[in-house]
């Protein structure tokens, strides 16, 4: 059954937000990510086993935005943070330098959030991340985003995320990232919300 979404803002006909078996749809999800993020086929090939490994972690959860025809319009997944994870090991020195490394404890990480370009600017990304974090047991959420002004960064700020560290360099990444954190539940309002047409189930 689709998760409830805020009944405000512009309608997105027929698209529903709900749990999705992302491992079973990993190739479709990577197409969405490639279209949204501009990935090459080589980058997709590298990310596929990473996504599958993430989804096997304890507490990992995924939601999808699905069209009436069953196509994946967007997805989000995340998991409880663990300082032993590779991502944490990279960002921890940067957070320690800004006095914010406590955000790595008892926090839910948004690992990936992507919406196909054909469905962007309709509140789907906001609905996905809000619904996912509403189900988190942790009191706060962290994520990383490319460190430049962008619609994604604006969305995160509107939800209550703030910069914890900037110019964080991940091995092999061509551009630096910002690490952001927000208390849960995420802030409501301040942007477009998603409203499906028809029954949510």
């Amino acid at each position: 059954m689709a998760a409830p979404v805020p009944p405000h803002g512009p309608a997105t006909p027929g698209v529903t937000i709900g749990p999705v078996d992302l491992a079973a749809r990993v190739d479709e999800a990577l197409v969405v990510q490639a279209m949204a993020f501009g990935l090459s086929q080589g980058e997709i090939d590298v990310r596929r086993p990473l996504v599958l490994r993430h989804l096997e972690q304890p507490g990992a959860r995924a939601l999808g935005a699905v069209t009436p025809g069953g196509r994946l319009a967007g997805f989000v997944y995340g998991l409880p943070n663990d300082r032993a994870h590779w991502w944490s090991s990279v960002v921890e020195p940067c957070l320690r330098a800004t006095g914010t490394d406590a955000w790595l404890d008892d926090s839910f990480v948004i690992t990936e959030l992507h919406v196909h370009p054909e469905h962007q600017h309709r509140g789907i990304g906001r609905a996905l991340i809000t619904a996912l974090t509403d189900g988190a047991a942790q009191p706060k959420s962290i994520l990383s985003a490319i460190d430049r002004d962008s619609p994604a960064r604006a969305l995160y700020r509107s939800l209550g995320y703030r910069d914890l560290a900037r110019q964080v360099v991940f091995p092999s990444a061509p551009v630096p990232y910002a690490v952001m954190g927000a208390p849960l539940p995420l802030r409501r309002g301040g942007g477009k919300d998603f409203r499906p047409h028809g029954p949510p189930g």
Side-chain angles (χ1 to χ4, degrees):
M1 177 177 290
V5 293
H8 308 295
T12 304
V15 174
T16 55
I17 305 292
V20 64
D21 184 352
L22 205 60
R25 304 183 69 163
V26 63
D27 293 315
E28 186 182 3
L30 286 169
V31 169
V32 172
Q33 184 174 0
M35 294 295 294
F37 214 52
L39 299 181
S40 67
Q41 185 59 51
E43 290 171 313
I44 292 173
D45 294 342
V46 169
R47 286 172 184 256
R48 190 179 193 280
L50 295 177
V51 172
L52 293 174
R53 187 162 68 244
H54 291 157
L55 294 171
E56 291 175 351
Q57 295 294 322
R61 295 169 46 244
L63 296 177
V66 182
T67 69
R71 179 178 162 211
L72 201 62
F75 70 93
V76 63
Y77 74 87
L79 61 155
N81 191 54
D82 185 331
R83 284 182 183 250
H85 290 164
W86 175 83
W87 183 85
S88 284
S89 71
V90 174
V91 304
E92 183 176 8
C94 301
L95 296 185
R96 196 181 313 118
T98 60
T100 59
D101 63 304
W103 279 84
L104 294 173
D105 300 317
D106 202 16
S107 187
F108 189 82
V109 183
I110 301 299
T111 309
E112 300 288 353
L113 169 62
H114 300 288
V115 178
H116 193 287
E118 291 179 359
H119 297 277
Q120 290 178 2
H121 311 298
R122 301 179 188 179
I124 292 175
R126 178 181 297 273
L128 283 166
I129 190 173
T130 301
L132 188 70
T133 54
D134 277 354
Q138 294 74 24
K140 55 187 182 285
S141 172
I142 52 177
L143 55 80
S144 54
I146 292 176
D147 193 2
R148 63 174 179 237
D149 287 335
S150 66
R153 290 263 278 155
L155 169 64
Y156 299 144
R157 290 192 188 101
S158 75
L159 292 167
Y161 287 91
R162 65 178 180 88
D163 291 343
L164 304 176
R166 300 190 63 180
Q167 297 296 297
V168 178
V169 178
F170 289 94
S172 79
V175 294
Y177 279 68
V179 178
M180 307 178 75
L184 295 180
L186 294 178
R187 182 189 301 158
R188 265 49 173 182
K192 294 180 179 179
D193 286 321
F194 166 85
R195 185 183 69 212
H197 275 179

